[in-house]
Amino acid sequence: MAMLWKFMRVAKYSKPALTPKVKVKGIPTHSRHSTSQSITSDFAANTTCSNTVELLGKTYPQDDYSNVTEKILSKVGKNLHNRKHHPLWLIKEQVKDHFYKQYVGRRGTPLFSVYDGLSPVVTVQQNFDSLLVPQNHVSRRKEDNYYLNRDHMLRAHTSAHQWDLIHSGLDAFLAVGDVYRRDTIDNSHYPVFHQMEGVRLFSCHELFSSIKDGESFQLFEHGHRTAHKQECHTMEAVRLVEFNLKQVLTKLMTHIFGDGLQIRWVDCYFPFTHPSFEMEINFQGEWMEVLGCGVMEQQLVNSAGAQDKIGWAFGLGLERLAMILYDIPDIRLFWSEDERFLKQFIVPHIWQKIKFQPLSRYPPLINDISFWLPSETYSENDFYDLARTVGGDLIEKVDLVDEYTHPKTKKVSHCYRIIYRHPERTLTQDEVHHIHRAIEESAVRELGVEGRF
């Protein structure tokens, strides 16, 4: 289940970001139940003249849609969610443990299968078409995604595996993995993060077996789509699926965060569920969105071969849960190799309470960059992606602080404030100056801006 599409921006990416050839080797893994095998990453700095990308043992030709950067490719295969004692691994294992113990099949085996080694390289058909995302939907555009070419991309959500897993005959599963999106830069956004997808399908008997006179109810009808149901679903079926979904997720969040947790549900919109909801929890007096969910579009379920069933899906972000549960203030820390960070999560059992002890807070260094935008379409995400590529994790935040239109030429100028702060040591003015200068030069060269440096 994808995170909210309404936050994704409309823009246009016009420059291929890859050098001619990049190699990242590895072996994708698949599992019937849980597996913690990782895709190993071997990032090659040397490139050749061929116009291809070699990733996870396959070669992809580049075209006008190719925009994935070397910095992003270097993250492929890290699989933090499978790294034992990593905070994302702890969250994943807690959710798995809850589902394994709470939901058991007739033979005493876990009802939900877990897939945490699926390849992050998917087709555009898997990532969008199979989920009924319209061709002109904002979420498809290059400024919000990392494309290898027109046909292949790094998955933008774990929902990319929904259709395939349902088509394989599964009725209940969790899919976990790293996902990739071009986005803003701050302490809660990173171009690579981790999601968990949950799907459950019900036959008519399974859904109504515990209801008095349940044999008289049906899953489907020839009706009309409303704000509360799809045209093919009966209201009784939708209400029961919705109740089951909210009950499952409320139990999960209560189990993770403890009794007394305040939860509220907010109506929202996803392309491939209806009706759709966000779950928000009250954490330290602030309402925070932690997951999205809804009743699956029957057209999707039918096309995957489960025409006689109805179901729900949810998607949650592992970083969001870990940041709340462990009080981790900066999303960049999940990529840290600093033992002072990692050792805090080496605990004897996955449910042990952990209160993150901040590393020394190093001072920020702040620099502004101003330039005239090119006459062609420009996207803020282009600049954010460029800044990440050059500055990497030394950049804590980038803000658009001023926008100016020249009264005569009508040219538009942007001024961005870049906050540099290393999470593990003090930066020097000299090293930041070199990085900032490189960002200026790259913006002129790659984005076609006119510097006001």
Side-chain angles (χ1 to χ4, degrees):
M1 186 74 182
M3 302 300 273
L4 286 178
W5 291 114
K6 66 184 179 183
F7 293 127
M8 306 190 82
R9 299 179 175 180
V10 180
K12 182 176 178 65
Y13 191 88
S14 58
K15 300 284 185 180
L18 275 177
T19 50
K21 180 167 182 169
V22 176
K23 290 185 178 180
V24 182
K25 300 177 182 178
I27 302 174
T29 62
H30 305 273
S31 64
R32 171 60 185 169
H33 285 289
S34 176
T35 175
S36 293
Q37 289 179 275
S38 296
I39 304 170
T40 58
S41 179
D42 180 15
F43 185 69
N46 296 325
T47 60
T48 66
C49 295
S50 61
N51 196 30
T52 61
V53 183
E54 187 177 330
L55 186 59
L56 304 180
K58 295 184 179 180
T59 300
Y60 302 91
Q62 291 182 249
D63 57 27
D64 61 328
Y65 248 63
S66 305
N67 69 348
V68 62
T69 64
E70 294 181 6
K71 178 70 70 173
I72 295 301
L73 286 174
S74 70
K75 304 291 187 181
V76 176
K78 297 295 186 181
N79 289 332
L80 301 182
H81 62 288
N82 287 337
R83 182 175 175 178
K84 194 171 183 179
H85 296 301
H86 190 279
L88 298 180
W89 176 84
L90 286 173
I91 288 290
K92 182 197 74 171
E93 291 299 311
Q94 288 180 22
V95 177
K96 275 175 48 182
D97 183 66
H98 173 76
F99 272 86
Y100 277 1
K101 292 177 178 177
Q102 190 75 28
Y103 307 101
V104 179
R106 285 177 293 180
R107 298 181 181 179
T109 58
L111 182 65
F112 283 81
S113 299
V114 177
Y115 294 81
D116 58 7
L118 300 172
S119 172
V121 179
V122 297
T123 64
V124 173
Q125 195 279 334
Q126 287 175 298
N127 200 80
F128 294 121
D129 298 335
S130 71
L131 298 172
L132 312 178
V133 178
Q135 287 290 330
N136 61 350
H137 197 273
V138 61
S139 61
R140 290 178 177 258
R141 299 189 177 184
K142 289 196 293 182
E143 60 274 9
D144 293 316
N145 299 286
Y146 288 105
Y147 284 91
L148 297 174
N149 53 42
R150 281 185 172 270
D151 298 320
H152 295 86
M153 63 189 297
L154 297 176
R155 62 187 170 206
H157 45 201
T158 46
S159 307
H161 304 292
Q162 267 189 18
W163 192 95
D164 291 324
L165 292 173
I166 293 173
H167 188 65
S168 72
L170 295 178
D171 288 341
F173 58 84
L174 303 175
V176 194
D178 44 337
V179 298
Y180 299 78
R181 294 189 200 158
R182 304 177 76 215
D183 209 340
T184 55
I185 302 176
D186 57 37
N187 66 349
S188 62
H189 291 85
Y190 200 80
V192 188
F193 55 104
H194 298 75
Q195 280 188 344
M196 174 176 284
E197 192 84 6
V199 169
R200 175 79 191 275
L201 301 181
F202 302 88
S203 66
C204 187
H205 173 72
E206 288 171 326
L207 190 62
F208 295 119
S209 61
S210 60
I211 304 298
K212 183 179 180 180
D213 299 324
E215 63 275 4
S216 64
F217 294 114
Q218 300 296 321
L219 297 180
F220 306 112
E221 68 176 7
H222 297 290
H224 301 281
R225 179 171 290 240
T226 70
H228 304 291
K229 76 176 196 72
Q230 299 171 44
E231 57 271 32
C232 59
H233 291 158
T234 64
M235 183 57 73
E236 294 85 2
V238 170
R239 289 303 189 201
L240 207 52
V241 170
E242 181 183 321
F243 174 79
N244 181 268
L245 170 62
K246 291 182 176 180
Q247 186 180 51
V248 166
L249 294 174
T250 297
K251 285 182 178 179
L252 173 63
M253 291 299 118
T254 302
H255 198 62
I256 291 176
F257 293 105
D259 294 330
L261 181 70
Q262 290 182 283
I263 293 174
R264 70 183 183 188
W265 296 94
V266 181
D267 292 346
C268 64
Y269 166 74
F270 293 106
F272 46 94
T273 60
H274 180 77
S276 304
F277 313 95
E278 287 176 351
M279 173 191 274
E280 296 181 349
I281 67 171
N282 192 305
F283 185 74
Q284 297 180 348
E286 180 182 354
W287 286 100
M288 305 181 70
E289 182 257 322
V290 292
L291 58 85
C293 61
V295 179
M296 297 186 70
E297 282 286 348
Q298 196 61 39
Q299 182 182 341
L300 189 164
V301 177
N302 290 348
S303 69
Q307 296 91 338
D308 58 342
K309 296 179 180 178
I310 183 175
W312 51 248
F314 71 81
L316 56 85
L318 298 185
E319 277 88 350
R320 171 58 61 87
L321 294 184
M323 291 178 79
I324 296 173
L325 183 62
Y326 302 130
D327 200 17
I328 298 174
D330 193 325
I331 197 170
R332 294 177 299 165
L333 285 167
F334 291 107
W335 297 90
S336 174
E337 295 294 337
D338 192 326
E339 288 191 356
R340 293 175 299 166
F341 174 76
L342 297 174
K343 282 185 175 180
Q344 295 187 46
F345 301 94
I346 300 176
V347 289
H349 60 85
I350 60 174
W351 292 105
Q352 180 165 319
K353 292 188 180 299
I354 301 170
K355 173 69 173 177
F356 172 66
Q357 300 300 315
L359 310 181
S360 299
R361 190 61 171 170
Y362 298 98
L365 295 177
I366 301 172
N367 286 262
D368 290 352
I369 178 172
S370 299
F371 47 75
W372 297 105
L373 305 189
S375 56
E376 300 158 356
T377 305
Y378 166 84
S379 164
E380 289 178 36
N381 275 0
D382 291 347
F383 179 71
Y384 297 143
D385 206 37
L386 182 146
R388 281 196 188 276
T389 299
V390 177
D393 288 353
L394 299 185
I395 297 179
E396 180 180 84
K397 189 174 184 180
V398 178
D399 278 328
L400 176 62
V401 294
D402 185 59
E403 185 172 354
Y404 168 73
T405 302
H406 194 283
K408 293 183 178 179
T409 65
K410 304 303 179 183
K411 292 175 65 175
V412 177
S413 171
H414 278 187
C415 177
Y416 294 90
R417 179 154 296 156
I418 303 178
I419 299 177
Y420 298 88
R421 190 195 323 248
H422 198 294
E424 298 162 7
R425 65 177 177 83
T426 299
L427 292 173
T428 67
Q429 287 284 0
D430 186 57
E431 62 183 318
V432 167
H433 171 76
H434 286 295
I435 296 169
H436 197 74
R437 183 61 180 165
I439 292 174
E440 293 174 340
E441 293 172 352
S442 295
V444 172
R445 182 175 62 253
E446 302 294 333
L447 304 182
V449 304
E450 181 184 341
R452 303 179 67 190
F453 312 139

